[in-house]
Each structure stands twice: as C-alpha cells, then as structure tokens.
Amino acid sequence: MFGFFKDRYREPSFSITSLFVFTSFIFLVSWGEINPFLPLFIKETLHTGTAATSWFTSLCIAAPYLVGMLIAPVWNRLAIKYGAKPWLLRAGFGSAIILLLMSMVQNPLQLVILKIIQGLFVGFISIASSILISLVPAAKVGQTLGKLGVATSLATVLAPVIGGILIPLLSFRLTLIISGGLLLLCCGFLQFKLPNTRVTPRSNQKIPRHFPVRLVLVLLGGLLIQITNNSITPYLALIVRQIDSHAGLLLIGVTIAITGVFSFAISHSVDFFINRWSSIGLLAFALLLGTMSYVVAALSITVLALILSRSLLGLSDAGHNPTIEIEVSKTIPHSQLGSAFALLQFVQSFGVVIGAFAGAFLNNSGGYRTMFTWAAIGYFVSLVVVLTSHLFPANLASENGKINS
C-alpha cells in the first residue's frame, strides 16, 4: 500500500520536466517565428511574383498537414511497438534539420519539397504530452500539463513578435539557422536525459456504427471554422502589406500575435460563461463575434483597425475552441468519445488544408477585402449549422439501451 502512494506522488527529475516544457516552448517558437512570415520569405527573399507567392504559401501550409494525416497511423503503430521516445526525437530532430535546410533554399519549389518532408516529422507536442503523462505521478498530471499548456500559449503569442524583431535584424536565413540550431541542441539534451516510455493502444475504444445527424452538423461547423481561419491566417503578412506597404515586420508580428493574446487572456473565464449560458449559447455568441470581427476586417483601411478585428477574433477563438469539443461530447455515447474526437481532429486538419488553398484563390481574386468578406460568410454559415444541429436529438444511448447523462 505504501509503495502505491510512493509511486503515485514521486515526481520525475525536475530537470527532465523543465527540459521537456522548455523544449516544447522552443519547438513552437522556432516554427511560430517563421511560418507567419513565410509569404514574405517566398516573395522577397526567393523573388517570387505576387500571385505565385499565394499558391506556394498554400502548398507550404497544406503539405505538412496532408502528409501528417496520411502517415499518422504508421507512426502510432511504431510508437506502440518501440515506445514514445524514438518518435518524439524523430519529430524534434527532423524539424530542426528541416529548419536548417530551409535556410539554404534558392527557390520556392525547394521550399515546398522541404515542407512536404516536414510532414514526416509532425506530432512533437502531442507526443510530448503523452510522455509527460506517463512520467508524472497521477496526482501531478494536471499540474504538469498545465505548465505545458502555459508554455504552449506563451510560445504562440510571443513567436510572431520574436520573428518580427529577429528577421529584420538577422535576415530570414540566419533566423532559420538559429532556430534550427537551438531546437537541435534541446533535442540533444532530451536524447540523453529522457527515458523511453510505452504507448498503450486503445484497444477497447468502440467505433460508431453510424454517426448521428447532430454530430455530423457539429463536425461540419468545426470544419467551416477551420477553413475560414486558415484561409486568412497564413496570409496575414501579405494582408498587412496590402493595407500599408511600409509596415514593418514587428507591426506584422503584433497583428498576428494579438489574436493569441486576447484568446489566452479570456480562456480562463470560459467555464464561467458556459455555466451561465450553456455551451451552445457560448458557441453561438463566439461565432457571431467572429463574424463581426471579419466584417470589421473587411472594412479596415488601417492596420490599427485590422488589429482591432483580430482582437475580437481572439475572444471568439477562446469561446468556440472548447465549446465545439463539448458539443461533440454531447452527441455520442461516452464509450465512443475517443473515436469522435479523433474524427474532429481529422476534420480540423482537413480544414487547414482546404483553407490554405481557399485563401490563395481569394487573395489572388480580389485581395484582402474579398478574403475577409468570405470569412465573415463562412463564420455565419457555421453559426447556422451548429444551431441547426440542436434541432436533432443527441445519440447518447448506451449499448444496454439506457440513456447516458
């Protein structure tokens, strides 16, 4: 009995946990300080035309997600067989090498090829979370994952600002070298410090025989949100330059980061609003606020107005991101939740792929006003879809015919 409590409360080495969180932070910053400015790297450093820049950007955004979706089941089976550590290091070292090679590309085609290869090395943060859960005693899992979540949020907020400062000072290529080198160093420490852990397959997870209409509509709403946001976000650097051709990279970085700042600031109050309004009420309000933010963006004639619209979108993101998951959980029996959430992740990744190409088409067709107008329409349609889902009953019947609460 005493051995149980000793194992339950014994923590792993503080240095390992801290190194894990720090490496995750460095990983996200390394990519987050480059990806928002990728269109400018393609256009200005690789000397690409305006129309071609949008299409090459869409390929660079979509390729890792598409390859990652296709290869994920293979990596999962290998992680179950050999443990999680080799696949964490695969993602870390592979990403670091891709960053270093990106500093050497001479044309957009070479960059696209590297981004395709990057798809073989996705999943660092999700693998890191699973390893932390296995290393940390049960009583400390929530606290440790909370630290990782804070590091993730801070990296998302700070990375575009860091990139906006470093790139003008050092150039795109030198920033890529520094980011890749630092990530390589952190992964080297993980190689020697981190023990291997086993991945437990979810063999008892039941696959739904059919999907209720309500679940399909909620997933469709989530898909529309992802398509809409990812038709805009990768092109924000180009949009800021369309509004103000003299805008510096720091101003572009602040415009990109402000969404994460407001989302992070309000995220801790989401539970309060859910208890007060219900999850569908908060989701509807968040989508309406997102629609308004894109209307404001479409009318923007200054970067300051665009920043205001992105701030509203950050509040919207804080509301709809968790409530979409809550709505999914209400539509299907508890025994099938794992499959439902895996499907939600797939739908969201698919939305990133579609959104990247939709953004390129809209940007080349009519500029930022056209992009934001269609984004407002996309959010409004998603609002109608998720509200319509509540016209259909939830499928919470368990296998023995009882209704799960």
Side-chain angles (χ1 to χ4, degrees):
M1 183 177 71
F2 292 106
F4 167 78
F5 286 105
K6 182 179 179 181
D7 290 338
R8 180 176 174 82
Y9 288 95
R10 183 177 60 222
E11 296 189 54
S13 168
F14 177 77
S15 61
I16 294 179
T17 306
S18 301
L19 180 60
F20 230 112
V21 174
F22 179 73
T23 303
S24 299
F25 178 82
I26 292 299
F27 179 87
L28 291 171
V29 169
S30 296
W31 286 110
E33 67 184 1
I34 294 298
N35 281 338
F37 305 100
L38 208 56
L40 298 181
F41 177 64
I42 294 171
K43 184 176 182 179
E44 298 174 359
T45 304
L46 302 181
H47 309 291
T48 308
T50 302
T53 294
S54 295
W55 288 115
F56 277 118
T57 300
S58 66
L59 287 170
C60 288
I61 297 299
Y65 281 92
L66 192 56
V67 175
M69 284 191 297
L70 295 174
I71 205 71
V74 177
W75 291 139
N76 185 54
R77 285 195 293 269
L78 291 173
I80 291 171
K81 185 175 182 179
Y82 297 106
K85 178 181 176 180
W87 310 112
L88 178 77
L89 296 177
R90 177 265 310 169
F93 281 120
S95 297
I97 293 171
I98 292 294
L99 283 167
L100 293 173
L101 292 176
M102 282 173 60
S103 69
M104 306 176 192
V105 298
Q106 300 300 314
N107 58 65
L109 184 58
Q110 293 175 354
L111 181 62
V112 169
I113 292 172
L114 286 178
K115 297 297 282 186
I116 292 172
I117 298 173
Q118 182 196 338
L120 300 175
F121 307 116
V122 297
F124 184 91
I125 298 301
S126 59
I127 300 173
S129 299
S130 66
I131 293 179
L132 271 181
I133 290 173
S134 64
L135 286 178
V136 175
K140 298 289 185 179
V141 166
Q143 178 183 348
T144 305
L145 289 181
K147 293 178 182 178
L148 182 62
V150 170
T152 300
S153 299
L154 287 177
T156 303
V157 169
L158 294 176
V161 179
I162 294 172
I165 295 172
L166 289 182
I167 292 172
L169 290 176
L170 304 175
S171 79
F172 275 104
R173 297 187 187 278
L174 190 53
T175 302
L176 282 163
I177 292 173
I178 292 174
S179 299
L182 189 57
L183 182 57
L184 203 63
L185 186 63
C186 290
C187 290
F189 282 117
L190 282 179
Q191 168 71 42
F192 293 104
K193 288 278 188 178
L194 184 67
N196 199 6
T197 58
R198 309 303 297 179
V199 176
T200 304
R202 296 182 177 182
S203 56
N204 61 342
Q205 190 58 247
K206 298 184 179 181
I207 307 298
R209 294 180 181 177
H210 67 277
F211 296 103
V213 175
R214 185 167 171 177
L215 174 60
V216 172
L217 289 175
V218 172
L219 292 175
L220 178 59
L223 175 64
L224 289 172
I225 292 169
Q226 287 297 319
I227 292 174
T228 300
N229 284 337
N230 287 283
S231 68
I232 300 294
T233 303
Y235 306 98
L236 277 174
L238 295 177
I239 291 171
V240 173
R241 285 285 174 86
Q242 288 178 32
I243 296 174
D244 182 359
S245 59
H246 301 292
L249 294 191
L250 180 57
L251 180 59
I252 294 173
V254 170
T255 305
I256 295 168
I258 199 69
T259 305
V261 171
F262 275 78
S263 181
F264 180 69
I266 199 67
S267 60
H268 301 291
S269 304
V270 169
D271 287 342
F272 169 79
F273 289 110
I274 289 177
N275 293 331
R276 190 177 182 87
W277 293 350
S278 80
S279 60
I280 187 61
L282 180 58
L283 177 56
F285 178 77
L287 292 176
L288 184 60
L289 189 62
T291 303
M292 293 171 55
S293 74
Y294 280 125
V295 170
V296 172
L299 299 174
S300 297
I301 58 174
T302 65
V303 177
L304 183 60
L306 179 61
I307 291 175
L308 173 62
S309 74
R310 300 299 296 177
S311 302
L312 293 175
L313 186 65
L315 299 177
S316 173
D317 287 350
H320 70 65
N321 284 336
T323 49
I324 282 285
E325 296 182 354
I326 293 173
E327 286 301 304
V328 168
S329 70
K330 290 180 177 179
T331 63
I332 203 162
H334 187 270
S335 62
Q336 300 172 358
L337 277 182
S339 299
F341 281 119
L343 183 59
L344 177 62
Q345 281 188 322
F346 175 82
V347 165
Q348 290 175 333
S349 296
F350 192 57
V352 174
V353 175
I354 298 175
F357 290 106
F361 174 77
L362 293 172
N363 189 36
N364 288 337
S365 299
Y368 75 92
R369 292 189 189 278
T370 301
M371 297 174 74
F372 286 131
T373 300
W374 279 103
I377 294 172
Y379 256 62
F380 185 75
V381 172
S382 67
L383 170 61
V384 173
V385 168
V386 296
L387 289 178
T388 303
S389 71
H390 273 251
L391 298 177
F392 297 89
N395 183 26
L396 294 181
S398 64
E399 289 71 18
N400 59 8
K402 298 180 179 179
I403 302 297
N404 297 323
S405 58

